[in-house]
Amino acid sequence: MADLPPCPECESVLTYEDGPLLICPECGHEWTPAAPAAGAKVIKDSVGNPLADGDTVTVIKDLKVKGSSLVVKRGTKVKNIRLVDGDHDIDCKIDGIGAMGLKSEFVKKA
């Protein structure tokens, strides 16, 4: 049985689900379950798929590595990504290059 939140009106713990709504049998209040926290940012790849820690992605464009003459070629697979806040959304290790940050707009989920 799922742990349902108490009623926001009367704090009753006897709430139950009825389709997409939660209902309190004591006061009759109906509400929709809370959506993900407003502060929780969903990071999506170039085609709109949501990304998660540990995913494998493919680079969709040749990317120059700042401060070096190396280039991350289109089609390069990057395994075990880590999502972070900042100007780059993804921290990862790329074989032959090392640790770096990528923007999610230049990758697609593999």
Side-chain angles (χ1 to χ4, degrees):
M1 184 168 169
D3 292 325
L4 298 174
C7 175
E9 295 290 316
C10 68
E11 298 298 323
S12 170
V13 294
L14 301 176
T15 58
Y16 63 92
E17 290 180 297
D18 186 18
L21 295 175
L22 295 177
I23 300 173
C24 175
E26 291 185 4
C27 70
H29 181 66
E30 298 180 358
W31 73 99
T32 56
K41 181 180 171 186
V42 176
I43 298 176
K44 296 183 178 185
D45 68 1
S46 62
V47 292
N49 298 320
L51 296 172
D53 285 342
D55 281 348
T56 299
V57 296
T58 304
V59 177
I60 62 167
K61 176 182 175 182
D62 288 353
L63 301 172
K64 294 179 183 177
V65 178
K66 282 189 177 179
S68 121
S69 62
L70 298 173
V71 175
V72 178
K73 294 288 189 180
R74 185 175 106 208
T76 301
K77 281 200 174 188
V78 181
K79 298 177 184 176
N80 199 21
I81 64 169
R82 188 172 35 133
L83 302 178
V84 296
D85 289 332
D87 58 342
H88 290 82
D89 303 322
I90 300 170
D91 274 348
C92 61
K93 269 190 177 177
I94 298 178
D95 292 337
I97 295 176
M100 67 181 305
L102 295 173
K103 292 187 177 185
S104 58
E105 63 198 61
F106 298 119
V107 300
K108 72 176 182 178
K109 199 169 187 177

